[in-house]
Amino acid sequence: MKFTKTLLASALLSTSLSAMQVHAADVPVGVKLADKQELVKGGEGEPATLDPQKIQGTPGSLRAKDLFEGLYSEGEGGKLVPGVATGYTVNDDNTVYTFNLRHDAKWSDGSPVTANDFVYGFQRLVAPKTASVYSWYAALAGINNAQNIIDGKAKVSDLGVKALDKYTFQVSLDHSVPYFVKMTVNSAMYPAPKQAIEKFGDNWTKAGNLVSNGAYKLDTWIVNEKMVFVRNHNYWNDKKTIINKVTVLPIKDSTVEFSRYQAGDLDVTSFSGIPTNRYKELLKTTPDEVKVTPQLAAYYYDFNNQQPPFDDVRVRKALSYAIDRSIITKYVTGVGEIPAYTFTPPSVDGFTAKQPEYAKWTQAERNAKAKELLKEAGYDKNNPLSFTLLYNTNDGHKKIAIAVASMWKKTLGVNATLENQEWKTFIDTRNLGNFGVARDGWVGDYNEASTFLDLFKSTNTSNNAHYKNAQYDQYMAQAAKANDPAPFYQKAEDLVIDQDMAVAPIYQYSIKRLVKTYVGGYKPNLEDNIYTRDMYIIAH
Amino acid sequence: MLKFIIKRLLEAIPTLLALVTLSFFLMHFAPGSPFTSERGVPAAVLANLQAKYHMNESLMSQYFHYLWDLLHGNLGYSFRFTDFTINQLVAQSFPVSAEIGFWSFLVAVSVGVLCGVFAALRQNSLLDYGVMAFANIGMVLPNFVIAPLCILFFSIHYQWLPAGGWNGGAWPYLIMPVIAMSTSYIAQIARITRGSMIETMHSNFIRTARAKGLPKSHIIIRHALRPAMLPVVSYLGPAFVGIITGSVVVDQFFGTGGIGQHFVNGAINRDYSMVMGITILIGTLTILFNAIVDILYVFIDPKIRY
């Protein structure tokens, strides 16, 4: 393989990244630390697994961030922070990334973390034997042969990863992915401890067997009660880690979690830890503990683009325009959510979607336009549009559905019947396209617009709106090859929302967390990549 | 007696088999599968996952495979907690539920019987009304109301007890789960005991005992209590199983890690092996405790012989 000369720009980037401050708890001068450095935090429910290559969903990745460390991590505001990698170089078309690994990184058993551990981890992710439900992540990143290996058409050893030497790890991609380094923050791309996995097989993630390379190691895992981590003294930056013990409580219900927080059982709640009905009161009583920041996630309604009457763009636009998003975010959800008129959240790194025309109108103007469009499509109060609005059983979704249906009724005379289904049935119904309008949500996998816009590619398995547009696919293909993909993202965004309204964006989610005032080092970011190693307990 | 026990054990086999069969097919006919997820799973990955759980075979073949594993004491891998087998999860959670269940049962029986007896002996008195009012409130107040009230009172307001967790079953962690678990059972047992005790106290042999001039305490303890306990005992068998396995709310509110939560979440997540495992456990316990109740009858009711 020809490795082109490193571009000046990427060299600069690489140097600047390696010169950046590494992850660690930075205690401001004058802050007195507590004698007992133990943290109890909310865990968003119980994870299915602690195997980094098999983790899907926040409960697992939240814990993996304390136990493992990948090439890069994320710091405050989503800035990349070197992890096991000290820097990287990239060729001129963003297809070959070479990472320099630190020589002092160790596993909790004392063995060194080497490039081979990354090769092994990446290969595990796609190996059919692992059967990881997150294997698509390697294909999404464009790693050479990833899709072929997943499909059983190539050998695991053909994956585009190699150890150039003990501390140099190289990844080759089948197309340009300028944001590849951001993708390494995800647990799917963490190294894997071959020694433990081969020794313990399926039981390698159990307490006592798990070998990790993060700031902490697993001490206890009692399903549905707690998980306890203790300091990994072999961690390369252990001397700058302050918290000695982390207890993660797998509480899913925000009301239950809130009561345990009030009782002093928890120091930090999960990212959905503020019950909506308590928010205003908390802002008055304990404003310093309320941490509400935007999340890289979108709440929206899918129109079934293949099924009448939703195959008519006028119907889709009318329904979308008639949703008063500010009422939803102000009165229905009400904890820092941001009304959305584009699909890609504006806070995503590297691309700020231009607000479409309808975002600039007043709600009255939107309603007038909605009536006009629906009438053109053949529906009015005498011949009302009737359909079912499907959502997964959940009180929050129900409230939003009631609000939206009543807006549609009031403005357009539309009869939307609400139907709820429990999660697995709901997903099945939505995947099969047996719906008219359905609730949907998407949390970005990495901080780049393609994690959102890829969804509407004709072949994407999560394209629940069943939107198919060759022009759109072309824009996304062009974006993937471009050094500056932003103009193509804008075209794609204009097409899918402003022109086609394939879905109705409703709001951008928020991270709503309660953090006791004696907890220092909490650095919120869009993807909620929070690491306990940055935190400390102040004397109180 | 031995013949009776053997007979009951033999009867349990077809009952359990019917239970396993029915649950197995019902579970598999529910829409969605354990691998249904928001993000479509690649076909090759799905094939590997299905192979791991034998789901690439026909339903009948899966059924026989399950029975074969079951005969070897293997309840299979959890679909939801992929790092664990059902045996490991049950081994972790069942002792927690059993301990909460045991103490709740003890509290429910002792307090319930005591309240019921006193209410019956002071029928239509203030005490009777008080006990019955408590019993009625206890029955209508579900534990998902009692649990947060307990937390509010004992943990948040007074900070006497931890709001949740288990910590290996240390007593401060036991108190609130036991209160939440036992309240409705106390109420139920008090009502049954009261009714049965009133009936017994009006029966001929008690009248005879009274006529013989026996002291009241002697009549109650030696003669009335045993027959009055018959309906209570028959209630206790299924109640005990219910207390042990029905701890969903307690598990959820107090984060104890008991088995109840697994059952409900297992069904929601289509964790076939989890639902099957717990169904079998509950079925076995129900049969076992019903048999124990039948055996206890022999000691309580002299009319019963096996």
Side-chain angles (χ1 to χ4, degrees):
Chain A
M1 181 183 44
K2 185 169 170 267
F3 184 65
T4 50
K5 267 198 293 180
T6 307
L7 278 177
L8 179 64
S10 36
L12 278 174
L13 177 66
S14 153
T15 320
S16 62
L17 281 170
S18 45
M20 260 171 17
Q21 178 211 1
V22 291
H23 247 295
D26 292 309
V27 185
V29 182
V31 168
K32 191 176 180 298
L33 292 178
D35 293 336
K36 196 172 157 193
Q37 288 294 329
E38 294 182 1
L39 183 86
V40 184
K41 61 180 190 179
E44 313 283 349
E46 193 66 72
T49 175
L50 279 184
D51 186 325
Q53 275 78 43
K54 293 183 183 175
I55 284 172
Q56 60 166 348
T58 42
S61 56
L62 174 149
R63 288 155 176 84
K65 280 165 204 149
D66 282 346
L67 292 171
F68 295 92
E69 185 172 55
L71 295 163
Y72 279 83
S73 303
E74 257 187 16
E76 193 162 19
K79 294 274 179 294
L80 279 177
V81 179
V84 178
T86 52
Y88 71 94
T89 52
V90 58
N91 67 347
D92 52 2
D93 60 354
N94 296 312
T95 54
V96 180
Y97 285 82
T98 308
F99 295 91
N100 304 313
L101 310 187
R102 60 179 73 252
H103 293 208
D104 53 349
K106 283 184 188 153
W107 291 101
S108 53
D109 63 1
S111 56
V113 178
T114 66
N116 280 318
D117 295 323
F118 280 94
V119 170
Y120 179 67
F122 278 52
Q123 288 180 342
R124 270 188 95 229
L125 177 64
V126 291
K129 203 178 134 203
T130 316
S132 167
V133 288
Y134 228 69
S135 56
W136 55 265
Y137 194 73
L140 183 72
I143 302 176
N144 265 341
N145 274 322
Q147 192 59 53
N148 287 336
I149 299 167
I150 293 167
D151 293 341
K153 291 178 195 154
K155 294 198 301 281
V156 173
S157 53
D158 294 338
L159 188 71
V161 289
K162 67 172 140 176
L164 298 183
D165 61 44
K166 200 174 173 188
Y167 296 107
T168 314
F169 173 60
Q170 191 176 79
V171 185
S172 310
L173 312 177
D174 57 21
H175 65 269
S176 167
V177 181
Y179 48 85
F180 179 77
V181 181
K182 288 178 189 166
M183 295 187 77
T184 67
V185 173
N186 193 294
S187 61
M189 291 193 174
Y190 285 174
K194 193 174 183 179
Q195 66 277 26
I197 296 170
E198 288 187 346
K199 187 173 172 193
F200 298 109
D202 281 341
N203 282 316
W204 84 272
T205 51
K206 303 270 164 53
N209 302 349
L210 188 104
V211 169
S212 57
N213 72 324
Y216 297 91
K217 54 185 184 178
L218 179 65
D219 179 74
T220 314
W221 183 2
I222 304 174
V223 174
N224 288 340
E225 190 204 346
K226 64 180 174 185
M227 207 181 271
V228 180
F229 307 147
V230 291
R231 279 271 282 276
N232 169 16
H233 291 298
N234 283 313
Y235 178 55
W236 64 271
N237 205 18
D238 181 56
K239 58 183 180 300
K240 286 213 73 181
T241 307
I242 293 175
I243 289 182
N244 293 319
K245 184 180 162 192
V246 191
T247 305
V248 190
L249 302 181
I251 309 167
K252 218 174 169 185
D253 186 302
S254 65
T255 317
V256 173
E257 192 185 49
F258 179 64
S259 63
R260 291 193 65 179
Y261 177 83
Q262 278 184 305
D265 279 11
L266 280 136
D267 305 310
V268 178
T269 67
S270 55
F271 74 79
S272 49
I274 304 180
T276 308
N277 56 351
R278 307 301 286 267
Y279 180 54
K280 283 188 183 142
E281 174 199 332
L282 286 166
L283 278 180
K284 280 184 201 145
T285 53
T286 52
D288 296 342
E289 295 180 21
V290 177
K291 311 282 178 194
V292 176
T293 52
Q295 189 192 1
L296 194 65
Y299 191 102
Y300 57 102
Y301 276 171
D302 286 315
F303 297 119
N304 189 341
N305 283 245
Q306 302 301 322
Q307 185 183 292
F310 306 103
D311 54 350
D312 184 339
V313 65
R314 293 168 298 187
V315 173
R316 299 197 296 267
K317 279 189 172 172
L319 292 174
S320 177
Y321 291 168
I323 300 171
D324 189 339
R325 285 136 176 106
S326 54
I327 286 188
I328 307 272
T329 53
K330 206 168 171 188
Y331 302 109
V332 185
T333 56
V335 190
E337 292 81 4
I338 303 162
Y341 300 91
T342 57
F343 187 70
T344 315
S347 38
V348 77
D349 200 26
F351 169 63
T352 307
K354 211 170 69 213
Q355 286 296 301
E357 240 351 84
Y358 81 102
K360 298 168 196 158
W361 304 340
T362 62
Q363 188 56 41
E365 285 169 334
R366 279 193 283 266
N367 288 348
K369 186 72 184 166
K371 277 184 207 164
E372 193 186 309
L373 284 167
L374 202 63
K375 200 170 173 78
E376 269 177 39
Y379 301 96
D380 55 24
K381 289 195 173 169
N382 300 321
N383 174 31
L385 172 65
S386 301
F387 59 87
T388 303
L389 168 58
L390 182 71
Y391 62 95
N392 53 305
T393 311
N394 171 292
D395 270 352
H397 301 327
K398 185 178 175 180
K399 282 181 192 160
I400 294 168
I402 291 172
V404 171
S406 67
M407 287 169 190
W408 285 338
K409 177 80 189 165
K410 197 176 151 206
T411 314
L412 306 169
V414 163
N415 298 317
T417 314
L418 305 192
E419 184 186 338
N420 63 311
Q421 291 181 351
E422 59 89 34
W423 185 236
K424 295 260 174 179
T425 313
F426 169 75
I427 290 182
D428 238 18
T429 313
R430 206 176 53 184
N431 285 348
L432 292 168
N434 294 332
F435 69 95
V437 181
R439 181 252 145 198
D440 212 334
W442 190 257
V443 182
D445 289 303
Y446 46 92
N447 193 357
E448 212 272 344
S450 61
T451 190
F452 287 93
L453 292 171
D454 268 348
L455 275 189
F456 298 108
K457 290 203 293 204
S458 316
T459 49
N460 196 307
T461 49
S462 299
N463 182 351
N464 297 323
H466 302 271
Y467 175 71
K468 289 184 184 12
N469 188 322
Q471 179 67 63
Y472 187 88
D473 293 347
Q474 201 190 332
Y475 287 149
M476 290 311 289
Q478 285 171 309
K481 286 186 189 134
N483 274 329
D484 176 19
F488 297 104
Y489 290 154
Q490 186 58 58
K491 286 181 180 176
E493 179 73 51
D494 286 345
L495 185 58
V496 72
I497 300 297
D498 203 17
Q499 191 179 317
D500 285 349
M501 199 64 81
V503 299
I506 299 180
Y507 63 78
Q508 181 186 354
Y509 280 89
S510 59
I511 295 167
K512 14 195 180 205
R513 183 173 270 123
L514 291 167
V515 180
K516 296 278 186 195
T517 48
Y518 54 75
V519 176
Y522 172 66
K523 298 173 182 172
N525 54 49
L526 273 178
E527 289 184 273
D528 202 37
N529 283 321
I530 306 293
Y531 306 84
T532 309
R533 60 180 183 244
D534 295 342
M535 298 162 103
Y536 50 89
I537 308 285
I538 303 163
H540 57 282
Chain B
M1 177 67 92
L2 191 68
K3 219 170 122 189
F4 168 77
I5 294 173
I6 293 170
K7 188 172 158 258
R8 287 301 291 260
L9 280 178
L10 288 175
E11 275 172 10
I13 295 170
T15 314
L16 276 177
L17 189 68
L19 184 72
V20 169
T21 310
L22 197 69
S23 335
F24 182 89
F25 288 102
L26 273 179
M27 202 59 222
H28 280 78
F29 287 139
S33 95
F35 310 122
T36 305
S37 76
E38 265 201 292
R39 242 183 269 254
V41 181
V45 173
L46 186 65
N48 281 311
L49 282 171
Q50 287 177 330
K52 181 180 172 185
Y53 295 94
H54 302 289
M55 282 180 68
N56 51 348
E57 298 165 19
S58 71
L59 197 56
M60 278 318 281
S61 154
Q62 288 178 50
Y63 170 68
F64 287 116
H65 212 108
Y66 186 79
L67 284 186
W68 181 252
D69 282 348
L70 190 60
L71 274 176
H72 293 81
N74 176 8
L75 295 169
Y77 272 97
S78 167
F79 289 82
R80 163 69 175 81
F81 301 105
T82 51
D83 290 356
F84 293 87
T85 63
I86 301 299
N87 295 50
Q88 288 168 338
L89 289 169
V90 169
Q92 210 177 56
S93 57
F94 184 67
V96 175
S97 293
E99 192 170 340
I100 297 175
F102 172 78
W103 290 109
S104 306
F105 185 76
L106 212 66
V107 170
V109 173
S110 42
V111 178
V113 167
L114 218 63
C115 287
V117 169
F118 277 113
L121 296 178
R122 302 265 187 282
Q123 201 187 346
N124 298 330
S125 70
L126 213 57
L127 179 80
D128 183 21
Y129 296 144
V131 169
M132 281 307 103
F134 166 76
N136 284 323
I137 293 169
M139 274 174 67
V140 295
L141 263 187
N143 47 9
F144 59 81
V145 173
I146 297 174
L149 280 178
C150 281
I151 295 177
L152 195 68
F153 188 75
F154 294 121
S155 304
I156 297 173
H157 196 70
Y158 287 106
Q159 305 202 329
W160 289 337
L161 295 170
W166 183 241
N167 257 5
W171 70 266
Y173 295 86
L174 251 173
I175 296 176
M176 288 196 294
V178 167
I179 294 175
M181 251 345 252
S182 57
T183 310
S184 66
Y185 288 97
I186 293 176
Q188 188 77 15
I189 292 170
R191 282 173 61 91
I192 299 173
T193 310
R194 177 184 176 273
S196 165
M197 195 69 182
I198 288 172
E199 202 185 315
T200 311
M201 291 303 281
H202 287 102
S203 58
N204 291 336
F205 69 94
I206 296 291
R207 199 173 301 128
T208 312
R210 275 196 186 133
K212 278 161 72 180
L214 292 176
K216 197 173 180 185
S217 58
H218 189 94
I219 296 173
I220 294 164
I221 295 166
R222 290 288 300 274
H223 300 284
L225 207 53
R226 256 168 61 174
M229 279 302 98
L230 268 176
V232 180
V233 168
S234 57
Y235 168 76
L236 291 184
F240 188 60
V241 180
I243 283 185
I244 288 180
T245 55
S247 56
V248 193
V249 172
V250 167
D251 291 343
Q252 203 166 329
F253 274 98
F254 301 110
T256 47
I259 206 163
Q261 215 176 339
H262 279 316
F263 198 25
V264 176
N265 291 338
I268 292 170
N269 294 313
R270 306 287 187 278
D271 191 344
Y272 297 150
S273 14
M274 176 68 84
V275 174
M276 293 298 298
I278 299 182
T279 306
I280 293 165
L281 181 74
I282 295 179
T284 313
L285 287 175
T286 309
I287 292 170
L288 181 73
F289 283 97
N290 278 334
I292 292 175
V293 166
D294 288 347
I295 294 164
L296 280 179
Y297 275 168
V298 179
F299 298 100
I300 298 172
D301 189 349
K303 287 181 282 186
I304 293 174
R305 294 267 186 280
Y306 295 122

